[in-house]
Structure formats: structure tokens, C-alpha cells
Amino acid sequence: MWTVKGVFTVDNSIVYASVTHGFKSGGFNLDSTSAIGGADPTFDSEFIKAHEIGFKSDLLNRRLRLNMALFHQDIEDFQVLEFTGVRFQTFNVPKVESRGAEFEMQAVLNQLDLLLALTYQQAEYPNDCDDNDPAAPPQVASLCGGPLTNAPDWTGVLGANWTHTLGGSGLELSANTNLRWESERRTATQHRDPTTHINLPVDYQDENVKVNLSVALGRQDERWTLEAWCQKVLAPGL
């Protein structure tokens, strides 16, 4: 693995660009059915080349922080774990691409901390993800042109954290809320049938908003803390 990074700094702002090359080791599918019928249970190593350019800045006496980034990733021999309905199998897809942008803002307002983050990502198997190899397995060829599993195009987070010291008691009261929104995402590996090549309309999770709430009371030296919290899907299928 290697990384090349360039950084340019002006006052409280940083502009950077980086190129990273890494890998994930190959291995063996340990499912008891992986070698049935003489099937090869091994899979190759995965390699990734990632490009990123971004901007970070602290403003208003470090009370406001802005972060922005653009990224592009090319993955070779992407490792896919798929459940066929009978067994689990791991195989490699020659090409996968991911590109997008990130924005993050953090603000400190006396006892209140605010967070806003938004990510756009297009993660997909390109149309030639099988390297145009006519001998490619059908489960690879049928992925080409489709989205990656569990990779929504849009993700947003809005958070707030409030703290208050209770006089000279050494106790601190805090409340935190966090809303996470994501767009529709695919939950199944295949977007069309490997044999018939017919699109599969099911196995999508609708866009949704998840809410996390917590209230805590504890010592400022963190020796003990009592906390109550809840998590709820506020608006599934908007």
C-alpha cells in the first residue's frame, strides 16, 4: 500500500490532493458447500486506486469548520460475497467504480455543537465490469451496469449536542440528537437474473430517516454517567 499526498496551507485553511493504492488479500470461501461439484473455493486479492482532492478550513476563531472533498475510486478484482439461496459464494468482479463528493460543516455555539454533513456517491459496476470476457461467469456479467449493494446515492446527517454544567456540583447534563437520511439503496447483490438477464425489481430499501436521541447526566471527570437513549426510523419510504 502507498499514498502520495500534496498539501497547501493558507492561514486556517488547507487544500490537499492525494492518490492511494491499496489491496485486500484474497483467500478461501469457508462455506461447507463452496467446493461442491469441483467448484474453486478461492478468490483473488482486491486492489484499489483512490484519488481525492479536498478543502478544510477553520473560521470565526475556530467556531466554524468547513470540509469539502471530491473523490474517485477504481477497484480491480472487487470481492463479492453472494448468497444464492442455497449457499454463500465469493467471487471477483474485474472492475468497480465509485465517485462522489462530501460536504461537512461543524459549528460551536456556546453550549451547543451543530453538525451538518452531506455525501453524494455513485458506486457501480461499469457496463464492462466483466472486462468484456466472454468466458466470465454469469454471476459477474449480470452485475455490469448495476449499483453496488448497500450504497445509497445520497446520505445526509444533521446533529446537535447540548451540554450544561450544574453549578459547582461537578455534574454535567447533556442532550444529543442525530438525524441520518439516506436515499434508496439496493440490498441484494444481483440487479438482474444471471440466467435470464431479466431485471429484478425487488430487494430495494426505500429512502428513510433514522433518529437517535439521548440524554445523559454524569460527573465532569467522567467517573460515572447515566444515559437514556432511543433510536427510531422516523419516516421509512418517504
Side-chain angles (χ1 to χ4, degrees), residues 24-30 40-46 77-81 89-92:
K24 182 166 66 175
S25 178
F28 296 86
N29 186 351
L30 299 180
D40 185 0
T42 65
F43 53 91
D44 296 333
S45 296
E46 174 183 304
D77 291 327
F78 181 66
Q79 296 171 4
V80 176
L81 175 63
Q89 62 178 0
T90 304
F91 56 91
N92 296 92

PDB file of all heavy atoms in Angstrom, residues 24-30 40-46 77-81 89-92:
ATOM      1  N   LYS A  24      -6.770  -5.661  -0.642  1.00  0.00           N
ATOM      2  CA  LYS A  24      -7.337  -6.559   0.360  1.00  0.00           C
ATOM      3  C   LYS A  24      -7.000  -7.977  -0.082  1.00  0.00           C
ATOM      4  O   LYS A  24      -7.290  -8.363  -1.214  1.00  0.00           O
ATOM      5  CB  LYS A  24      -8.845  -6.359   0.485  1.00  0.00           C
ATOM      6  CG  LYS A  24      -9.492  -7.234   1.543  1.00  0.00           C
ATOM      7  CD  LYS A  24     -10.909  -6.769   1.863  1.00  0.00           C
ATOM      8  CE  LYS A  24     -11.835  -6.924   0.712  1.00  0.00           C
ATOM      9  NZ  LYS A  24     -13.243  -6.593   1.046  1.00  0.00           N
ATOM     10  N   SER A  25      -6.409  -8.746   0.791  1.00  0.00           N
ATOM     11  CA  SER A  25      -5.894 -10.059   0.434  1.00  0.00           C
ATOM     12  C   SER A  25      -6.989 -11.001  -0.041  1.00  0.00           C
ATOM     13  O   SER A  25      -8.151 -10.915   0.398  1.00  0.00           O
ATOM     14  CB  SER A  25      -5.166 -10.674   1.633  1.00  0.00           C
ATOM     15  OG  SER A  25      -4.698 -11.982   1.327  1.00  0.00           O
ATOM     16  N   GLY A  26      -6.623 -11.904  -0.935  1.00  0.00           N
ATOM     17  CA  GLY A  26      -7.527 -12.963  -1.356  1.00  0.00           C
ATOM     18  C   GLY A  26      -7.632 -14.041  -0.300  1.00  0.00           C
ATOM     19  O   GLY A  26      -7.075 -13.914   0.792  1.00  0.00           O
ATOM     20  N   GLY A  27      -8.339 -15.122  -0.619  1.00  0.00           N
ATOM     21  CA  GLY A  27      -8.495 -16.168   0.386  1.00  0.00           C
ATOM     22  C   GLY A  27      -9.326 -17.330  -0.114  1.00  0.00           C
ATOM     23  O   GLY A  27      -9.433 -17.574  -1.320  1.00  0.00           O
ATOM     24  N   PHE A  28      -9.941 -18.014   0.851  1.00  0.00           N
ATOM     25  CA  PHE A  28     -10.758 -19.198   0.563  1.00  0.00           C
ATOM     26  C   PHE A  28     -12.157 -18.990   1.129  1.00  0.00           C
ATOM     27  O   PHE A  28     -12.313 -18.468   2.242  1.00  0.00           O
ATOM     28  CB  PHE A  28     -10.152 -20.455   1.202  1.00  0.00           C
ATOM     29  CG  PHE A  28      -8.803 -20.829   0.661  1.00  0.00           C
ATOM     30  CD1 PHE A  28      -7.652 -20.266   1.191  1.00  0.00           C
ATOM     31  CD2 PHE A  28      -8.684 -21.741  -0.376  1.00  0.00           C
ATOM     32  CE1 PHE A  28      -6.407 -20.597   0.701  1.00  0.00           C
ATOM     33  CE2 PHE A  28      -7.432 -22.082  -0.875  1.00  0.00           C
ATOM     34  CZ  PHE A  28      -6.304 -21.507  -0.342  1.00  0.00           C
ATOM     35  N   ASN A  29     -13.157 -19.380   0.363  1.00  0.00           N
ATOM     36  CA  ASN A  29     -14.524 -19.376   0.860  1.00  0.00           C
ATOM     37  C   ASN A  29     -14.690 -20.591   1.764  1.00  0.00           C
ATOM     38  O   ASN A  29     -14.595 -21.738   1.311  1.00  0.00           O
ATOM     39  CB  ASN A  29     -15.508 -19.441  -0.305  1.00  0.00           C
ATOM     40  CG  ASN A  29     -16.945 -19.292   0.143  1.00  0.00           C
ATOM     41  OD1 ASN A  29     -17.251 -19.299   1.330  1.00  0.00           O
ATOM     42  ND2 ASN A  29     -17.842 -19.177  -0.820  1.00  0.00           N
ATOM     43  N   LEU A  30     -14.938 -20.359   3.051  1.00  0.00           N
ATOM     44  CA  LEU A  30     -15.001 -21.448   4.024  1.00  0.00           C
ATOM     45  C   LEU A  30     -16.394 -22.047   4.164  1.00  0.00           C
ATOM     46  O   LEU A  30     -16.602 -22.909   5.028  1.00  0.00           O
ATOM     47  CB  LEU A  30     -14.513 -20.943   5.385  1.00  0.00           C
ATOM     48  CG  LEU A  30     -13.061 -20.445   5.411  1.00  0.00           C
ATOM     49  CD1 LEU A  30     -12.689 -19.970   6.811  1.00  0.00           C
ATOM     50  CD2 LEU A  30     -12.111 -21.540   4.947  1.00  0.00           C
ATOM     51  N   ASP A  40     -14.170 -23.984  -7.563  1.00  0.00           N
ATOM     52  CA  ASP A  40     -12.970 -23.422  -6.965  1.00  0.00           C
ATOM     53  C   ASP A  40     -13.369 -22.512  -5.802  1.00  0.00           C
ATOM     54  O   ASP A  40     -14.030 -21.495  -6.006  1.00  0.00           O
ATOM     55  CB  ASP A  40     -12.192 -22.625  -8.009  1.00  0.00           C
ATOM     56  CG  ASP A  40     -10.859 -22.120  -7.480  1.00  0.00           C
ATOM     57  OD1 ASP A  40     -10.525 -22.390  -6.305  1.00  0.00           O
ATOM     58  OD2 ASP A  40     -10.140 -21.445  -8.253  1.00  0.00           O
ATOM     59  N   PRO A  41     -12.982 -22.841  -4.554  1.00  0.00           N
ATOM     60  CA  PRO A  41     -13.387 -22.025  -3.399  1.00  0.00           C
ATOM     61  C   PRO A  41     -12.488 -20.809  -3.156  1.00  0.00           C
ATOM     62  O   PRO A  41     -12.722 -20.060  -2.220  1.00  0.00           O
ATOM     63  CB  PRO A  41     -13.276 -23.010  -2.236  1.00  0.00           C
ATOM     64  CG  PRO A  41     -12.136 -23.903  -2.633  1.00  0.00           C
ATOM     65  CD  PRO A  41     -12.233 -24.045  -4.137  1.00  0.00           C
ATOM     66  N   THR A  42     -11.480 -20.604  -3.993  1.00  0.00           N
ATOM     67  CA  THR A  42     -10.561 -19.485  -3.763  1.00  0.00           C
ATOM     68  C   THR A  42     -11.059 -18.223  -4.457  1.00  0.00           C
ATOM     69  O   THR A  42     -11.860 -18.279  -5.395  1.00  0.00           O
ATOM     70  CB  THR A  42      -9.157 -19.817  -4.290  1.00  0.00           C
ATOM     71  OG1 THR A  42      -9.204 -19.963  -5.717  1.00  0.00           O
ATOM     72  CG2 THR A  42      -8.632 -21.112  -3.674  1.00  0.00           C
ATOM     73  N   PHE A  43     -10.571 -17.072  -3.971  1.00  0.00           N
ATOM     74  CA  PHE A  43     -10.841 -15.803  -4.636  1.00  0.00           C
ATOM     75  C   PHE A  43      -9.586 -14.933  -4.555  1.00  0.00           C
ATOM     76  O   PHE A  43      -8.778 -15.071  -3.637  1.00  0.00           O
ATOM     77  CB  PHE A  43     -12.052 -15.084  -4.021  1.00  0.00           C
ATOM     78  CG  PHE A  43     -12.006 -14.900  -2.535  1.00  0.00           C
ATOM     79  CD1 PHE A  43     -11.450 -13.765  -1.978  1.00  0.00           C
ATOM     80  CD2 PHE A  43     -12.506 -15.883  -1.686  1.00  0.00           C
ATOM     81  CE1 PHE A  43     -11.405 -13.588  -0.607  1.00  0.00           C
ATOM     82  CE2 PHE A  43     -12.465 -15.720  -0.309  1.00  0.00           C
ATOM     83  CZ  PHE A  43     -11.913 -14.572   0.240  1.00  0.00           C
ATOM     84  N   ASP A  44      -9.421 -14.051  -5.546  1.00  0.00           N
ATOM     85  CA  ASP A  44      -8.194 -13.264  -5.683  1.00  0.00           C
ATOM     86  C   ASP A  44      -8.193 -12.030  -4.787  1.00  0.00           C
ATOM     87  O   ASP A  44      -9.227 -11.620  -4.252  1.00  0.00           O
ATOM     88  CB  ASP A  44      -8.018 -12.813  -7.143  1.00  0.00           C
ATOM     89  CG  ASP A  44      -7.817 -13.984  -8.086  1.00  0.00           C
ATOM     90  OD1 ASP A  44      -7.308 -15.022  -7.624  1.00  0.00           O
ATOM     91  OD2 ASP A  44      -8.184 -13.855  -9.268  1.00  0.00           O
ATOM     92  N   SER A  45      -7.011 -11.423  -4.663  1.00  0.00           N
ATOM     93  CA  SER A  45      -6.878 -10.177  -3.915  1.00  0.00           C
ATOM     94  C   SER A  45      -7.585  -9.039  -4.655  1.00  0.00           C
ATOM     95  O   SER A  45      -7.718  -9.055  -5.878  1.00  0.00           O
ATOM     96  CB  SER A  45      -5.399  -9.821  -3.722  1.00  0.00           C
ATOM     97  OG  SER A  45      -4.750 -10.785  -2.933  1.00  0.00           O
ATOM     98  N   GLU A  46      -8.032  -8.059  -3.887  1.00  0.00           N
ATOM     99  CA  GLU A  46      -8.716  -6.881  -4.417  1.00  0.00           C
ATOM    100  C   GLU A  46      -7.775  -5.685  -4.349  1.00  0.00           C
ATOM    101  O   GLU A  46      -7.087  -5.494  -3.343  1.00  0.00           O
ATOM    102  CB  GLU A  46      -9.976  -6.628  -3.574  1.00  0.00           C
ATOM    103  CG  GLU A  46     -10.731  -5.367  -3.890  1.00  0.00           C
ATOM    104  CD  GLU A  46     -11.917  -5.185  -2.951  1.00  0.00           C
ATOM    105  OE1 GLU A  46     -12.766  -6.097  -2.883  1.00  0.00           O
ATOM    106  OE2 GLU A  46     -11.990  -4.134  -2.275  1.00  0.00           O
ATOM    107  N   ASP A  77     -10.706  -6.472  -9.395  1.00  0.00           N
ATOM    108  CA  ASP A  77     -10.979  -7.759  -8.738  1.00  0.00           C
ATOM    109  C   ASP A  77     -11.738  -7.568  -7.432  1.00  0.00           C
ATOM    110  O   ASP A  77     -11.380  -8.109  -6.379  1.00  0.00           O
ATOM    111  CB  ASP A  77      -9.678  -8.538  -8.506  1.00  0.00           C
ATOM    112  CG  ASP A  77      -9.068  -9.035  -9.799  1.00  0.00           C
ATOM    113  OD1 ASP A  77      -9.833  -9.353 -10.723  1.00  0.00           O
ATOM    114  OD2 ASP A  77      -7.831  -9.085  -9.903  1.00  0.00           O
ATOM    115  N   PHE A  78     -12.802  -6.777  -7.502  1.00  0.00           N
ATOM    116  CA  PHE A  78     -13.644  -6.493  -6.352  1.00  0.00           C
ATOM    117  C   PHE A  78     -14.240  -7.786  -5.801  1.00  0.00           C
ATOM    118  O   PHE A  78     -14.815  -8.587  -6.532  1.00  0.00           O
ATOM    119  CB  PHE A  78     -14.763  -5.538  -6.779  1.00  0.00           C
ATOM    120  CG  PHE A  78     -15.695  -5.133  -5.689  1.00  0.00           C
ATOM    121  CD1 PHE A  78     -15.251  -4.368  -4.623  1.00  0.00           C
ATOM    122  CD2 PHE A  78     -17.036  -5.496  -5.737  1.00  0.00           C
ATOM    123  CE1 PHE A  78     -16.129  -3.969  -3.621  1.00  0.00           C
ATOM    124  CE2 PHE A  78     -17.917  -5.104  -4.752  1.00  0.00           C
ATOM    125  CZ  PHE A  78     -17.455  -4.338  -3.683  1.00  0.00           C
ATOM    126  N   GLN A  79     -14.095  -8.007  -4.505  1.00  0.00           N
ATOM    127  CA  GLN A  79     -14.576  -9.230  -3.869  1.00  0.00           C
ATOM    128  C   GLN A  79     -16.058  -9.103  -3.516  1.00  0.00           C
ATOM    129  O   GLN A  79     -16.459  -8.190  -2.806  1.00  0.00           O
ATOM    130  CB  GLN A  79     -13.760  -9.525  -2.615  1.00  0.00           C
ATOM    131  CG  GLN A  79     -12.299  -9.816  -2.891  1.00  0.00           C
ATOM    132  CD  GLN A  79     -11.469  -9.897  -1.628  1.00  0.00           C
ATOM    133  OE1 GLN A  79     -11.999  -9.810  -0.520  1.00  0.00           O
ATOM    134  NE2 GLN A  79     -10.152 -10.051  -1.773  1.00  0.00           N
ATOM    135  N   VAL A  80     -16.862 -10.027  -4.032  1.00  0.00           N
ATOM    136  CA  VAL A  80     -18.305 -10.021  -3.798  1.00  0.00           C
ATOM    137  C   VAL A  80     -18.689 -11.302  -3.077  1.00  0.00           C
ATOM    138  O   VAL A  80     -18.350 -12.407  -3.512  1.00  0.00           O
ATOM    139  CB  VAL A  80     -19.081  -9.921  -5.124  1.00  0.00           C
ATOM    140  CG1 VAL A  80     -20.583 -10.006  -4.865  1.00  0.00           C
ATOM    141  CG2 VAL A  80     -18.739  -8.632  -5.845  1.00  0.00           C
ATOM    142  N   LEU A  81     -19.392 -11.146  -1.969  1.00  0.00           N
ATOM    143  CA  LEU A  81     -19.959 -12.294  -1.247  1.00  0.00           C
ATOM    144  C   LEU A  81     -21.450 -12.328  -1.537  1.00  0.00           C
ATOM    145  O   LEU A  81     -22.173 -11.379  -1.226  1.00  0.00           O
ATOM    146  CB  LEU A  81     -19.704 -12.176   0.251  1.00  0.00           C
ATOM    147  CG  LEU A  81     -20.345 -13.261   1.130  1.00  0.00           C
ATOM    148  CD1 LEU A  81     -19.782 -14.640   0.794  1.00  0.00           C
ATOM    149  CD2 LEU A  81     -20.144 -12.954   2.609  1.00  0.00           C
ATOM    150  N   GLN A  89     -21.230 -17.742  -1.801  1.00  0.00           N
ATOM    151  CA  GLN A  89     -20.087 -17.849  -2.694  1.00  0.00           C
ATOM    152  C   GLN A  89     -19.396 -16.496  -2.801  1.00  0.00           C
ATOM    153  O   GLN A  89     -20.028 -15.444  -2.762  1.00  0.00           O
ATOM    154  CB  GLN A  89     -20.497 -18.340  -4.081  1.00  0.00           C
ATOM    155  CG  GLN A  89     -21.447 -17.417  -4.825  1.00  0.00           C
ATOM    156  CD  GLN A  89     -21.785 -17.934  -6.215  1.00  0.00           C
ATOM    157  OE1 GLN A  89     -21.309 -18.992  -6.612  1.00  0.00           O
ATOM    158  NE2 GLN A  89     -22.576 -17.187  -6.960  1.00  0.00           N
ATOM    159  N   THR A  90     -18.068 -16.534  -2.883  1.00  0.00           N
ATOM    160  CA  THR A  90     -17.264 -15.324  -3.043  1.00  0.00           C
ATOM    161  C   THR A  90     -16.581 -15.380  -4.395  1.00  0.00           C
ATOM    162  O   THR A  90     -15.984 -16.388  -4.759  1.00  0.00           O
ATOM    163  CB  THR A  90     -16.210 -15.207  -1.935  1.00  0.00           C
ATOM    164  OG1 THR A  90     -16.857 -15.241  -0.666  1.00  0.00           O
ATOM    165  CG2 THR A  90     -15.437 -13.901  -2.054  1.00  0.00           C
ATOM    166  N   PHE A  91     -16.686 -14.287  -5.157  1.00  0.00           N
ATOM    167  CA  PHE A  91     -16.058 -14.236  -6.473  1.00  0.00           C
ATOM    168  C   PHE A  91     -15.554 -12.822  -6.721  1.00  0.00           C
ATOM    169  O   PHE A  91     -15.906 -11.888  -5.997  1.00  0.00           O
ATOM    170  CB  PHE A  91     -17.034 -14.681  -7.576  1.00  0.00           C
ATOM    171  CG  PHE A  91     -18.317 -13.897  -7.626  1.00  0.00           C
ATOM    172  CD1 PHE A  91     -18.429 -12.762  -8.416  1.00  0.00           C
ATOM    173  CD2 PHE A  91     -19.408 -14.294  -6.872  1.00  0.00           C
ATOM    174  CE1 PHE A  91     -19.604 -12.035  -8.465  1.00  0.00           C
ATOM    175  CE2 PHE A  91     -20.601 -13.573  -6.917  1.00  0.00           C
ATOM    176  CZ  PHE A  91     -20.699 -12.437  -7.706  1.00  0.00           C
ATOM    177  N   ASN A  92     -14.726 -12.673  -7.740  1.00  0.00           N
ATOM    178  CA  ASN A  92     -14.123 -11.381  -8.074  1.00  0.00           C
ATOM    179  C   ASN A  92     -14.789 -10.768  -9.297  1.00  0.00           C
ATOM    180  O   ASN A  92     -15.085 -11.462 -10.266  1.00  0.00           O
ATOM    181  CB  ASN A  92     -12.630 -11.531  -8.352  1.00  0.00           C
ATOM    182  CG  ASN A  92     -11.852 -11.980  -7.132  1.00  0.00           C
ATOM    183  OD1 ASN A  92     -11.653 -13.173  -6.928  1.00  0.00           O
ATOM    184  ND2 ASN A  92     -11.408 -11.033  -6.329  1.00  0.00           N
TER     185      ASN A  92
END
